[in-house]
Amino acid sequence: CRAVAAKYTRAEIRSYLPEDFGDIIDELIHANTDSYSDKEEYYGECISSIAELGQADDFIVDISRLIRTLAIGKLYIIGDIFDRGPRADIILDTLINYHSVDIQWGNHDVQWMGAAAGSMACIASVLSTKYFNFDCIEDGYGINMRPLTVFAMETYADDDCKCFIPKNPNMVKLSKHDISIWAKMHKAIAVIQFKLEGQIIKNHPEFCMDNHLMLDKIDYKNGTITIDGNTYKLKDTNFPTIDPADPYKLTQAESELMQLLNSSFLHSEKLQRHVRFLYSNGSMYLKTNNNLLYHGCIPMNSDGSFTEVELCGEKVKGKSLLDLSERI
């Protein structure tokens, strides 16, 4: 404990000391038996007293935790806490209780932050069943998935939705029946996601993301899609909720479903608490110890210069792009 404490000031160490044994640990860490021989006996009696009082086990646990705390002075998380494992909620519970954490938000974290704020497009994105994170959604955050299940089973009752069978990164064991249900749910929320994201893209031409608009490029009668002048046969042609005349408009049933899901996200106490923690302990980037920490990519030109983009009426690039993104 003395060895790992050497890089801290005495005031910093005191802030980490356990309540029950703080004073004695403080004395033992800074003990100096070279100059005062009588002190050695005093320190020995301190240890003996802890053992005689039956507190040795508690002392060992507390000093071990202190060693761990001092060994890792600050924990830096470089994004994507969500969607990279089955229970992001458990990870965040652990991080909240850690003494010092800094987080650079990943794109998945930002999507969950948006979902917690009530963004319909972000909600549809995080509910994509391809990540098999229903344990986190339902058990962790208490978000009711039954409305989506009912909607999917009614809308795609006779559709095997085989193109929407989700990948299984966490090796979750599922029956054929469960896989069928998940595929239907994935298709249902994916179509809604395509619609909601399409609305955003069409409302923000400055994003220059028209190449992501796909629903208006489909020939629903012939089951084909034309992209950059090339026509392709679709593997799935059953889209009962899409109106070819207005493909990005939600049906009434889809709108009602999203309102229910939106309410669940806004009223999940645990999710809101976790997202507040992400805001208070996070940022788009951090400069520390001569390192630049950030998640993901910075738009650049082929010559290595930063690409200028327009965001909320401002033209930004590089650092200014991240600064504006963080304010948003």
mmCIF file of all heavy atoms in Angstrom, residues 80-93 108 112 126 128-142 167-174 182 270 274:
data_model
loop_
_atom_site.group_PDB
_atom_site.id
_atom_site.type_symbol
_atom_site.label_atom_id
_atom_site.label_comp_id
_atom_site.label_asym_id
_atom_site.label_seq_id
_atom_site.Cartn_x
_atom_site.Cartn_y
_atom_site.Cartn_z
ATOM 1 N N ASP A 80 -18.290 3.141 -26.159
ATOM 2 C CA ASP A 80 -19.071 1.932 -26.457
ATOM 3 C C ASP A 80 -19.190 1.008 -25.246
ATOM 4 O O ASP A 80 -18.834 -0.174 -25.301
ATOM 5 C CB ASP A 80 -18.488 1.183 -27.663
ATOM 6 C CG ASP A 80 -18.937 1.798 -28.983
ATOM 7 O OD1 ASP A 80 -19.676 2.807 -28.938
ATOM 8 O OD2 ASP A 80 -18.556 1.301 -30.042
ATOM 9 N N ILE A 81 -19.696 1.575 -24.175
ATOM 10 C CA ILE A 81 -20.088 0.755 -23.030
ATOM 11 C C ILE A 81 -21.313 -0.081 -23.414
ATOM 12 O O ILE A 81 -21.434 -1.241 -23.034
ATOM 13 C CB ILE A 81 -20.402 1.652 -21.816
ATOM 14 C CG1 ILE A 81 -19.135 2.400 -21.375
ATOM 15 C CG2 ILE A 81 -20.965 0.830 -20.658
ATOM 16 C CD1 ILE A 81 -19.394 3.478 -20.341
ATOM 17 N N PHE A 82 -22.186 0.526 -24.215
ATOM 18 C CA PHE A 82 -23.410 -0.150 -24.641
ATOM 19 C C PHE A 82 -23.163 -1.009 -25.882
ATOM 20 O O PHE A 82 -22.269 -0.727 -26.694
ATOM 21 C CB PHE A 82 -24.499 0.878 -24.963
ATOM 22 C CG PHE A 82 -25.090 1.523 -23.755
ATOM 23 C CD1 PHE A 82 -24.608 2.738 -23.285
ATOM 24 C CD2 PHE A 82 -26.138 0.923 -23.067
ATOM 25 C CE1 PHE A 82 -25.162 3.344 -22.169
ATOM 26 C CE2 PHE A 82 -26.695 1.517 -21.946
ATOM 27 C CZ PHE A 82 -26.204 2.725 -21.492
ATOM 28 N N ASP A 83 -23.947 -2.077 -26.000
ATOM 29 C CA ASP A 83 -24.016 -2.921 -27.203
ATOM 30 C C ASP A 83 -22.742 -3.713 -27.471
ATOM 31 O O ASP A 83 -22.571 -4.246 -28.568
ATOM 32 C CB ASP A 83 -24.362 -2.083 -28.444
ATOM 33 C CG ASP A 83 -25.697 -1.370 -28.295
ATOM 34 O OD1 ASP A 83 -26.565 -1.905 -27.586
ATOM 35 O OD2 ASP A 83 -25.863 -0.289 -28.876
ATOM 36 N N ARG A 84 -21.848 -3.798 -26.508
ATOM 37 C CA ARG A 84 -20.631 -4.601 -26.695
ATOM 38 C C ARG A 84 -20.574 -5.730 -25.667
ATOM 39 O O ARG A 84 -19.520 -6.245 -25.342
ATOM 40 C CB ARG A 84 -19.382 -3.713 -26.596
ATOM 41 C CG ARG A 84 -19.217 -2.792 -27.791
ATOM 42 C CD ARG A 84 -18.966 -3.603 -29.046
ATOM 43 N NE ARG A 84 -18.882 -2.787 -30.253
ATOM 44 C CZ ARG A 84 -19.881 -2.589 -31.094
ATOM 45 N NH1 ARG A 84 -21.067 -3.133 -30.852
ATOM 46 N NH2 ARG A 84 -19.725 -1.848 -32.165
ATOM 47 N N GLY A 85 -21.728 -6.091 -25.165
ATOM 48 C CA GLY A 85 -21.855 -7.143 -24.167
ATOM 49 C C GLY A 85 -23.293 -7.183 -23.706
ATOM 50 O O GLY A 85 -24.075 -6.267 -24.011
ATOM 51 N N PRO A 86 -23.684 -8.205 -22.963
ATOM 52 C CA PRO A 86 -25.095 -8.389 -22.640
ATOM 53 C C PRO A 86 -25.668 -7.430 -21.602
ATOM 54 O O PRO A 86 -26.853 -7.175 -21.593
ATOM 55 C CB PRO A 86 -25.161 -9.830 -22.131
ATOM 56 C CG PRO A 86 -23.788 -10.102 -21.604
ATOM 57 C CD PRO A 86 -22.854 -9.343 -22.488
ATOM 58 N N ARG A 87 -24.861 -6.859 -20.700
ATOM 59 C CA ARG A 87 -25.421 -6.088 -19.587
ATOM 60 C C ARG A 87 -24.641 -4.794 -19.340
ATOM 61 O O ARG A 87 -23.898 -4.657 -18.371
ATOM 62 C CB ARG A 87 -25.464 -6.939 -18.327
ATOM 63 C CG ARG A 87 -26.399 -8.130 -18.384
ATOM 64 C CD ARG A 87 -27.855 -7.716 -18.577
ATOM 65 N NE ARG A 87 -28.358 -6.891 -17.498
ATOM 66 C CZ ARG A 87 -28.959 -7.378 -16.419
ATOM 67 N NH1 ARG A 87 -29.125 -8.685 -16.285
ATOM 68 N NH2 ARG A 87 -29.407 -6.565 -15.483
ATOM 69 N N ALA A 88 -24.863 -3.816 -20.205
ATOM 70 C CA ALA A 88 -24.223 -2.514 -20.016
ATOM 71 C C ALA A 88 -24.662 -1.867 -18.711
ATOM 72 O O ALA A 88 -23.905 -1.104 -18.098
ATOM 73 C CB ALA A 88 -24.554 -1.596 -21.189
ATOM 74 N N ASP A 89 -25.877 -2.175 -18.254
ATOM 75 C CA ASP A 89 -26.376 -1.574 -17.014
ATOM 76 C C ASP A 89 -25.535 -2.002 -15.810
ATOM 77 O O ASP A 89 -25.283 -1.212 -14.901
ATOM 78 C CB ASP A 89 -27.840 -1.954 -16.790
ATOM 79 C CG ASP A 89 -28.067 -3.455 -16.717
ATOM 80 O OD1 ASP A 89 -27.811 -4.145 -17.723
ATOM 81 O OD2 ASP A 89 -28.485 -3.953 -15.664
ATOM 82 N N ILE A 90 -25.070 -3.265 -15.803
ATOM 83 C CA ILE A 90 -24.233 -3.743 -14.701
ATOM 84 C C ILE A 90 -22.869 -3.056 -14.737
ATOM 85 O O ILE A 90 -22.311 -2.671 -13.699
ATOM 86 C CB ILE A 90 -24.077 -5.273 -14.767
ATOM 87 C CG1 ILE A 90 -25.431 -5.955 -14.544
ATOM 88 C CG2 ILE A 90 -23.064 -5.769 -13.731
ATOM 89 C CD1 ILE A 90 -25.407 -7.462 -14.685
ATOM 90 N N ILE A 91 -22.330 -2.880 -15.933
ATOM 91 C CA ILE A 91 -21.046 -2.184 -16.081
ATOM 92 C C ILE A 91 -21.161 -0.756 -15.550
ATOM 93 O O ILE A 91 -20.290 -0.277 -14.806
ATOM 94 C CB ILE A 91 -20.592 -2.171 -17.550
ATOM 95 C CG1 ILE A 91 -20.294 -3.600 -18.023
ATOM 96 C CG2 ILE A 91 -19.359 -1.292 -17.740
ATOM 97 C CD1 ILE A 91 -20.042 -3.717 -19.510
ATOM 98 N N LEU A 92 -22.230 -0.068 -15.899
ATOM 99 C CA LEU A 92 -22.396 1.315 -15.450
ATOM 100 C C LEU A 92 -22.619 1.397 -13.948
ATOM 101 O O LEU A 92 -22.144 2.338 -13.298
ATOM 102 C CB LEU A 92 -23.542 1.972 -16.212
ATOM 103 C CG LEU A 92 -23.139 2.448 -17.614
ATOM 104 C CD1 LEU A 92 -24.350 2.683 -18.499
ATOM 105 C CD2 LEU A 92 -22.291 3.714 -17.527
ATOM 106 N N ASP A 93 -23.327 0.436 -13.379
ATOM 107 C CA ASP A 93 -23.463 0.399 -11.913
ATOM 108 C C ASP A 93 -22.096 0.302 -11.247
ATOM 109 O O ASP A 93 -21.839 0.928 -10.207
ATOM 110 C CB ASP A 93 -24.321 -0.798 -11.495
ATOM 111 C CG ASP A 93 -25.818 -0.512 -11.571
ATOM 112 O OD1 ASP A 93 -26.193 0.681 -11.561
ATOM 113 O OD2 ASP A 93 -26.601 -1.475 -11.639
ATOM 114 N N HIS A 108 -22.297 4.308 -29.834
ATOM 115 C CA HIS A 108 -23.389 3.552 -29.213
ATOM 116 C C HIS A 108 -23.846 4.227 -27.923
ATOM 117 O O HIS A 108 -25.038 4.257 -27.619
ATOM 118 C CB HIS A 108 -22.943 2.110 -28.939
ATOM 119 C CG HIS A 108 -22.817 1.290 -30.184
ATOM 120 N ND1 HIS A 108 -23.831 0.505 -30.670
ATOM 121 C CD2 HIS A 108 -21.796 1.160 -31.061
ATOM 122 C CE1 HIS A 108 -23.439 -0.089 -31.785
ATOM 123 N NE2 HIS A 108 -22.209 0.287 -32.041
ATOM 124 N N TRP A 112 -27.708 5.789 -27.010
ATOM 125 C CA TRP A 112 -28.469 5.545 -25.786
ATOM 126 C C TRP A 112 -28.759 6.860 -25.058
ATOM 127 O O TRP A 112 -29.830 7.018 -24.461
ATOM 128 C CB TRP A 112 -27.724 4.579 -24.881
ATOM 129 C CG TRP A 112 -27.956 3.153 -25.251
ATOM 130 C CD1 TRP A 112 -27.293 2.416 -26.185
ATOM 131 C CD2 TRP A 112 -28.959 2.275 -24.711
ATOM 132 N NE1 TRP A 112 -27.802 1.140 -26.261
ATOM 133 C CE2 TRP A 112 -28.821 1.025 -25.364
ATOM 134 C CE3 TRP A 112 -29.933 2.417 -23.735
ATOM 135 C CZ2 TRP A 112 -29.636 -0.068 -25.073
ATOM 136 C CZ3 TRP A 112 -30.755 1.334 -23.435
ATOM 137 C CH2 TRP A 112 -30.599 0.107 -24.107
ATOM 138 N N VAL A 126 -31.415 1.700 -30.766
ATOM 139 C CA VAL A 126 -30.906 0.906 -29.643
ATOM 140 C C VAL A 126 -31.749 -0.341 -29.406
ATOM 141 O O VAL A 126 -31.283 -1.294 -28.775
ATOM 142 C CB VAL A 126 -30.822 1.742 -28.346
ATOM 143 C CG1 VAL A 126 -29.962 2.979 -28.552
ATOM 144 C CG2 VAL A 126 -32.198 2.136 -27.832
ATOM 145 N N SER A 128 -32.697 -2.262 -31.741
ATOM 146 C CA SER A 128 -32.374 -3.243 -32.772
ATOM 147 C C SER A 128 -31.924 -4.537 -32.107
ATOM 148 O O SER A 128 -30.934 -4.586 -31.386
ATOM 149 C CB SER A 128 -31.262 -2.715 -33.679
ATOM 150 O OG SER A 128 -30.851 -3.706 -34.585
ATOM 151 N N THR A 129 -32.661 -5.612 -32.339
ATOM 152 C CA THR A 129 -32.406 -6.871 -31.633
ATOM 153 C C THR A 129 -31.150 -7.573 -32.109
ATOM 154 O O THR A 129 -30.817 -8.645 -31.610
ATOM 155 C CB THR A 129 -33.607 -7.815 -31.796
ATOM 156 O OG1 THR A 129 -33.837 -8.047 -33.195
ATOM 157 C CG2 THR A 129 -34.847 -7.227 -31.178
ATOM 158 N N LYS A 130 -30.445 -6.999 -33.061
ATOM 159 C CA LYS A 130 -29.239 -7.664 -33.562
ATOM 160 C C LYS A 130 -28.165 -7.778 -32.490
ATOM 161 O O LYS A 130 -27.224 -8.559 -32.634
ATOM 162 C CB LYS A 130 -28.679 -6.908 -34.776
ATOM 163 C CG LYS A 130 -28.247 -5.482 -34.497
ATOM 164 C CD LYS A 130 -27.853 -4.780 -35.786
ATOM 165 C CE LYS A 130 -27.477 -3.319 -35.546
ATOM 166 N NZ LYS A 130 -27.163 -2.613 -36.784
ATOM 167 N N TYR A 131 -28.292 -6.993 -31.400
ATOM 168 C CA TYR A 131 -27.286 -7.064 -30.344
ATOM 169 C C TYR A 131 -27.691 -7.979 -29.193
ATOM 170 O O TYR A 131 -26.945 -8.121 -28.232
ATOM 171 C CB TYR A 131 -26.976 -5.657 -29.812
ATOM 172 C CG TYR A 131 -26.294 -4.791 -30.833
ATOM 173 C CD1 TYR A 131 -26.937 -3.686 -31.374
ATOM 174 C CD2 TYR A 131 -25.009 -5.087 -31.285
ATOM 175 C CE1 TYR A 131 -26.320 -2.887 -32.335
ATOM 176 C CE2 TYR A 131 -24.384 -4.297 -32.241
ATOM 177 C CZ TYR A 131 -25.044 -3.206 -32.757
ATOM 178 O OH TYR A 131 -24.432 -2.429 -33.710
ATOM 179 N N PHE A 132 -28.865 -8.593 -29.273
ATOM 180 C CA PHE A 132 -29.307 -9.504 -28.219
ATOM 181 C C PHE A 132 -29.157 -8.880 -26.831
ATOM 182 O O PHE A 132 -28.618 -9.490 -25.911
ATOM 183 C CB PHE A 132 -28.526 -10.820 -28.277
ATOM 184 C CG PHE A 132 -28.994 -11.752 -29.356
ATOM 185 C CD1 PHE A 132 -28.485 -11.673 -30.637
ATOM 186 C CD2 PHE A 132 -29.962 -12.718 -29.100
ATOM 187 C CE1 PHE A 132 -28.927 -12.522 -31.636
ATOM 188 C CE2 PHE A 132 -30.409 -13.571 -30.095
ATOM 189 C CZ PHE A 132 -29.897 -13.483 -31.365
ATOM 190 N N ASN A 133 -29.609 -7.637 -26.679
ATOM 191 C CA ASN A 133 -29.426 -6.951 -25.400
ATOM 192 C C ASN A 133 -30.735 -6.775 -24.642
ATOM 193 O O ASN A 133 -30.905 -5.830 -23.867
ATOM 194 C CB ASN A 133 -28.756 -5.593 -25.620
ATOM 195 C CG ASN A 133 -29.551 -4.699 -26.574
ATOM 196 O OD1 ASN A 133 -30.632 -5.079 -27.024
ATOM 197 N ND2 ASN A 133 -29.017 -3.532 -26.880
ATOM 198 N N PHE A 134 -31.680 -7.685 -24.846
ATOM 199 C CA PHE A 134 -32.966 -7.557 -24.176
ATOM 200 C C PHE A 134 -32.852 -7.686 -22.661
ATOM 201 O O PHE A 134 -33.662 -7.123 -21.921
ATOM 202 C CB PHE A 134 -33.961 -8.592 -24.708
ATOM 203 C CG PHE A 134 -34.614 -8.169 -26.000
ATOM 204 C CD1 PHE A 134 -34.218 -7.029 -26.662
ATOM 205 C CD2 PHE A 134 -35.648 -8.919 -26.544
ATOM 206 C CE1 PHE A 134 -34.807 -6.630 -27.846
ATOM 207 C CE2 PHE A 134 -36.258 -8.525 -27.733
ATOM 208 C CZ PHE A 134 -35.832 -7.379 -28.383
ATOM 209 N N ASP A 135 -31.867 -8.432 -22.165
ATOM 210 C CA ASP A 135 -31.667 -8.521 -20.720
ATOM 211 C C ASP A 135 -31.375 -7.143 -20.142
ATOM 212 O O ASP A 135 -31.881 -6.776 -19.078
ATOM 213 C CB ASP A 135 -30.522 -9.482 -20.383
ATOM 214 C CG ASP A 135 -30.924 -10.937 -20.549
ATOM 215 O OD1 ASP A 135 -32.122 -11.194 -20.718
ATOM 216 O OD2 ASP A 135 -30.035 -11.805 -20.522
ATOM 217 N N CYS A 136 -30.541 -6.403 -20.851
ATOM 218 C CA CYS A 136 -30.211 -5.041 -20.419
ATOM 219 C C CYS A 136 -31.442 -4.148 -20.510
ATOM 220 O O CYS A 136 -31.743 -3.383 -19.581
ATOM 221 C CB CYS A 136 -29.072 -4.486 -21.279
ATOM 222 S SG CYS A 136 -28.658 -2.757 -20.952
ATOM 223 N N ILE A 137 -32.175 -4.252 -21.615
ATOM 224 C CA ILE A 137 -33.327 -3.380 -21.837
ATOM 225 C C ILE A 137 -34.452 -3.663 -20.842
ATOM 226 O O ILE A 137 -34.986 -2.745 -20.206
ATOM 227 C CB ILE A 137 -33.836 -3.531 -23.284
ATOM 228 C CG1 ILE A 137 -32.782 -3.007 -24.272
ATOM 229 C CG2 ILE A 137 -35.154 -2.786 -23.485
ATOM 230 C CD1 ILE A 137 -33.067 -3.354 -25.721
ATOM 231 N N GLU A 138 -34.818 -4.943 -20.711
ATOM 232 C CA GLU A 138 -35.961 -5.299 -19.871
ATOM 233 C C GLU A 138 -35.579 -5.453 -18.393
ATOM 234 O O GLU A 138 -36.162 -4.820 -17.520
ATOM 235 C CB GLU A 138 -36.602 -6.585 -20.384
ATOM 236 C CG GLU A 138 -37.338 -6.396 -21.714
ATOM 237 C CD GLU A 138 -38.265 -7.557 -22.031
ATOM 238 O OE1 GLU A 138 -37.780 -8.701 -22.094
ATOM 239 O OE2 GLU A 138 -39.468 -7.323 -22.200
ATOM 240 N N ASP A 139 -34.600 -6.327 -18.107
ATOM 241 C CA ASP A 139 -34.233 -6.587 -16.714
ATOM 242 C C ASP A 139 -33.456 -5.424 -16.108
ATOM 243 O O ASP A 139 -33.639 -5.079 -14.942
ATOM 244 C CB ASP A 139 -33.399 -7.869 -16.617
ATOM 245 C CG ASP A 139 -34.155 -9.093 -17.101
ATOM 246 O OD1 ASP A 139 -35.393 -9.044 -17.117
ATOM 247 O OD2 ASP A 139 -33.507 -10.093 -17.476
ATOM 248 N N GLY A 140 -32.545 -4.852 -16.904
ATOM 249 C CA GLY A 140 -31.716 -3.765 -16.383
ATOM 250 C C GLY A 140 -32.463 -2.459 -16.241
ATOM 251 O O GLY A 140 -32.405 -1.802 -15.195
ATOM 252 N N TYR A 141 -33.179 -2.072 -17.303
ATOM 253 C CA TYR A 141 -33.797 -0.753 -17.317
ATOM 254 C C TYR A 141 -35.320 -0.783 -17.205
ATOM 255 O O TYR A 141 -35.956 0.280 -17.204
ATOM 256 C CB TYR A 141 -33.377 0.002 -18.581
ATOM 257 C CG TYR A 141 -31.904 0.355 -18.571
ATOM 258 C CD1 TYR A 141 -31.065 0.037 -19.636
ATOM 259 C CD2 TYR A 141 -31.344 1.002 -17.470
ATOM 260 C CE1 TYR A 141 -29.717 0.356 -19.613
ATOM 261 C CE2 TYR A 141 -30.002 1.333 -17.434
ATOM 262 C CZ TYR A 141 -29.195 1.011 -18.511
ATOM 263 O OH TYR A 141 -27.868 1.330 -18.475
ATOM 264 N N GLY A 142 -35.904 -1.975 -17.121
ATOM 265 C CA GLY A 142 -37.346 -2.068 -16.904
ATOM 266 C C GLY A 142 -38.176 -1.530 -18.052
ATOM 267 O O GLY A 142 -39.304 -1.065 -17.844
ATOM 268 N N LYS A 167 -27.631 -11.329 -35.615
ATOM 269 C CA LYS A 167 -26.374 -11.982 -35.267
ATOM 270 C C LYS A 167 -26.349 -12.220 -33.767
ATOM 271 O O LYS A 167 -27.073 -11.577 -33.013
ATOM 272 C CB LYS A 167 -25.180 -11.138 -35.697
ATOM 273 C CG LYS A 167 -25.125 -9.742 -35.097
ATOM 274 C CD LYS A 167 -23.982 -8.932 -35.703
ATOM 275 C CE LYS A 167 -23.953 -7.512 -35.145
ATOM 276 N NZ LYS A 167 -22.879 -6.703 -35.733
ATOM 277 N N ASN A 168 -25.505 -13.133 -33.344
ATOM 278 C CA ASN A 168 -25.510 -13.549 -31.941
ATOM 279 C C ASN A 168 -24.109 -13.430 -31.365
ATOM 280 O O ASN A 168 -23.425 -14.420 -31.142
ATOM 281 C CB ASN A 168 -26.009 -14.996 -31.853
ATOM 282 C CG ASN A 168 -26.371 -15.382 -30.424
ATOM 283 O OD1 ASN A 168 -26.036 -14.679 -29.482
ATOM 284 N ND2 ASN A 168 -27.048 -16.499 -30.274
ATOM 285 N N PRO A 169 -23.640 -12.182 -31.108
ATOM 286 C CA PRO A 169 -22.262 -11.999 -30.656
ATOM 287 C C PRO A 169 -21.979 -12.560 -29.278
ATOM 288 O O PRO A 169 -20.847 -12.856 -28.945
ATOM 289 C CB PRO A 169 -22.095 -10.479 -30.678
ATOM 290 C CG PRO A 169 -23.476 -9.970 -30.431
ATOM 291 C CD PRO A 169 -24.395 -10.939 -31.142
ATOM 292 N N ASN A 170 -23.006 -12.689 -28.447
ATOM 293 C CA ASN A 170 -22.800 -13.138 -27.077
ATOM 294 C C ASN A 170 -23.109 -14.613 -26.896
ATOM 295 O O ASN A 170 -23.184 -15.111 -25.777
ATOM 296 C CB ASN A 170 -23.673 -12.302 -26.134
ATOM 297 C CG ASN A 170 -23.385 -10.824 -26.272
ATOM 298 O OD1 ASN A 170 -22.232 -10.410 -26.260
ATOM 299 N ND2 ASN A 170 -24.426 -10.024 -26.432
ATOM 300 N N MET A 171 -23.312 -15.324 -28.014
ATOM 301 C CA MET A 171 -23.564 -16.763 -27.992
ATOM 302 C C MET A 171 -24.741 -17.105 -27.085
ATOM 303 O O MET A 171 -24.704 -18.025 -26.281
ATOM 304 C CB MET A 171 -22.310 -17.522 -27.553
ATOM 305 C CG MET A 171 -21.098 -17.293 -28.460
ATOM 306 S SD MET A 171 -21.413 -17.666 -30.195
ATOM 307 C CE MET A 171 -21.622 -19.437 -30.103
ATOM 308 N N VAL A 172 -25.821 -16.315 -27.200
ATOM 309 C CA VAL A 172 -27.029 -16.589 -26.432
ATOM 310 C C VAL A 172 -27.723 -17.807 -27.025
ATOM 311 O O VAL A 172 -27.937 -17.892 -28.232
ATOM 312 C CB VAL A 172 -27.981 -15.372 -26.466
ATOM 313 C CG1 VAL A 172 -29.253 -15.670 -25.687
ATOM 314 C CG2 VAL A 172 -27.287 -14.138 -25.906
ATOM 315 N N LYS A 173 -28.068 -18.782 -26.180
ATOM 316 C CA LYS A 173 -28.730 -19.994 -26.655
ATOM 317 C C LYS A 173 -30.222 -19.715 -26.826
ATOM 318 O O LYS A 173 -30.923 -19.389 -25.871
ATOM 319 C CB LYS A 173 -28.495 -21.142 -25.674
ATOM 320 C CG LYS A 173 -27.040 -21.606 -25.610
ATOM 321 C CD LYS A 173 -26.875 -22.806 -24.677
ATOM 322 C CE LYS A 173 -25.416 -23.260 -24.646
ATOM 323 N NZ LYS A 173 -25.232 -24.419 -23.733
ATOM 324 N N LEU A 174 -30.702 -19.857 -28.065
ATOM 325 C CA LEU A 174 -32.089 -19.579 -28.367
ATOM 326 C C LEU A 174 -32.715 -20.751 -29.107
ATOM 327 O O LEU A 174 -32.062 -21.424 -29.904
ATOM 328 C CB LEU A 174 -32.209 -18.316 -29.239
ATOM 329 C CG LEU A 174 -31.717 -16.999 -28.634
ATOM 330 C CD1 LEU A 174 -31.717 -15.912 -29.683
ATOM 331 C CD2 LEU A 174 -32.591 -16.581 -27.464
ATOM 332 N N TRP A 182 -37.540 -13.096 -32.516
ATOM 333 C CA TRP A 182 -36.535 -12.031 -32.558
ATOM 334 C C TRP A 182 -36.395 -11.479 -33.964
ATOM 335 O O TRP A 182 -36.228 -10.270 -34.153
ATOM 336 C CB TRP A 182 -35.192 -12.552 -32.040
ATOM 337 C CG TRP A 182 -35.102 -12.600 -30.549
ATOM 338 C CD1 TRP A 182 -35.998 -13.179 -29.695
ATOM 339 C CD2 TRP A 182 -34.076 -12.041 -29.734
ATOM 340 N NE1 TRP A 182 -35.585 -13.031 -28.402
ATOM 341 C CE2 TRP A 182 -34.402 -12.335 -28.382
ATOM 342 C CE3 TRP A 182 -32.913 -11.343 -29.992
ATOM 343 C CZ2 TRP A 182 -33.615 -11.941 -27.314
ATOM 344 C CZ3 TRP A 182 -32.111 -10.949 -28.927
ATOM 345 C CH2 TRP A 182 -32.471 -11.236 -27.607
ATOM 346 N N LYS A 270 -33.424 4.110 -13.775
ATOM 347 C CA LYS A 270 -32.044 3.636 -13.823
ATOM 348 C C LYS A 270 -31.328 4.116 -15.083
ATOM 349 O O LYS A 270 -30.171 4.548 -15.029
ATOM 350 C CB LYS A 270 -32.011 2.108 -13.756
ATOM 351 C CG LYS A 270 -30.625 1.534 -13.502
ATOM 352 C CD LYS A 270 -30.708 0.037 -13.257
ATOM 353 C CE LYS A 270 -29.399 -0.522 -12.742
ATOM 354 N NZ LYS A 270 -29.491 -1.974 -12.462
ATOM 355 N N HIS A 274 -28.059 6.529 -15.222
ATOM 356 C CA HIS A 274 -26.836 6.145 -15.930
ATOM 357 C C HIS A 274 -26.443 7.182 -16.978
ATOM 358 O O HIS A 274 -25.252 7.482 -17.154
ATOM 359 C CB HIS A 274 -27.027 4.774 -16.584
ATOM 360 C CG HIS A 274 -26.953 3.645 -15.618
ATOM 361 N ND1 HIS A 274 -27.171 2.328 -15.976
ATOM 362 C CD2 HIS A 274 -26.677 3.613 -14.284
ATOM 363 C CE1 HIS A 274 -27.042 1.554 -14.918
ATOM 364 N NE2 HIS A 274 -26.735 2.312 -13.880
#
